Amino acid sequence: AQKVTQAQTEISVVEKEDVTLDCVYETRDTTYYLFWYKQPPSGELVFLIRRNSFDEQNEISGRYSWNFQKSTSSFNFTITASQVVDSAVYFCALSEARGSTLGRLYFGRGTQLTVWP
Amino acid sequence: DAGVIQSPRHEVTEMGQEVTLRCKPISGHNSLFWYRQTMMRGLELLIYFNNNVPIDDSGMPEDRFSAKMPNASFSTLKIQPSEPRDSAVYFCASSPPLGRQETQYFGPGTRLLVL
């Protein structure tokens, strides 16, 4: 069965600190996709990154970086030099290919990140 | 480019009333998903369509919920009769075929309150 675990329910940091959000997943499929979404207080779900199971390269985008390790079934997200605007709930999600399209997303329970000024 | 469009953004209704939520996916996307978000259960799939055909409706709570996708640019989620426990945020998402930046893009959600 597919499952995504975000063990950290809440994290609080002070501005400019680095913070890492953990994500561990379970799947039996060999082809799958991992995602991170951000949900700010306004409520929308904002796509941040997608990784497929064949691409273990880490990625950096500005202050954001992602570490994908198949050996530990983890897809962790690091924010460097956090800012107050980073305060949000962050969701990790897993999907498999279903024919010619993505299947459903399996979400973790989310990590509430609060960045204090 | 327009993203996923949902209406209404907010809905307040009384128990027993019919509620219809609407979604317009991104043009060119061939899959459409309905999710529900609650504090207790988090984000959960209700149903999804591929090329307008329902593929997985295992998350639809019960017969009070129904969803349709009459064409590639429109879907509805209907609750009849509504109950207070249906209060939640309902998200619609769409995704393109594989090989074209596979990602699910979400609409702004409909915040439903059933009194």
Side-chain angles (χ1 to χ4, degrees), chain A residues 37 39 50 100-101 105, chain B residues 31 35 37 98 102-104:
Chain A
Y37 287 86
Q39 188 172 43
R50 175 194 70 255
S100 64
T101 188
L105 287 172
Chain B
S31 292
Y35 293 91
Q37 184 177 31
L98 289 180
E102 306 87 354
T103 296
Q104 284 187 27

Side-chain angles (χ1 to χ4, degrees), chain B residues 17-87:
Chain B
Q17 297 297 306
E18 178 179 296
V19 176
T20 299
L21 310 181
R22 297 173 175 80
C23 176
K24 176 179 171 56
I26 294 172
S27 177
H29 285 193
N30 66 340
S31 292
L32 183 142
F33 304 79
W34 284 100
Y35 293 91
R36 178 170 68 177
Q37 184 177 31
T38 61
M39 289 295 293
M40 291 293 292
R41 300 173 66 91
L43 277 156
E44 54 180 347
L45 178 80
L46 298 176
I47 185 170
Y48 83 89
F49 298 83
N50 180 233
N51 293 323
N52 311 337
V53 176
I55 302 299
D56 182 353
D57 66 353
S58 59
M60 295 287 265
E62 49 201 84
D63 290 346
R64 298 186 298 107
F65 285 68
S66 62
K68 295 182 180 179
M69 191 164 186
N71 56 62
S73 58
F74 184 65
S75 177
T76 59
L77 177 68
K78 187 175 293 186
I79 308 172
Q80 167 63 24
S82 58
E83 296 183 2
R85 59 187 167 133
D86 302 329
S87 298

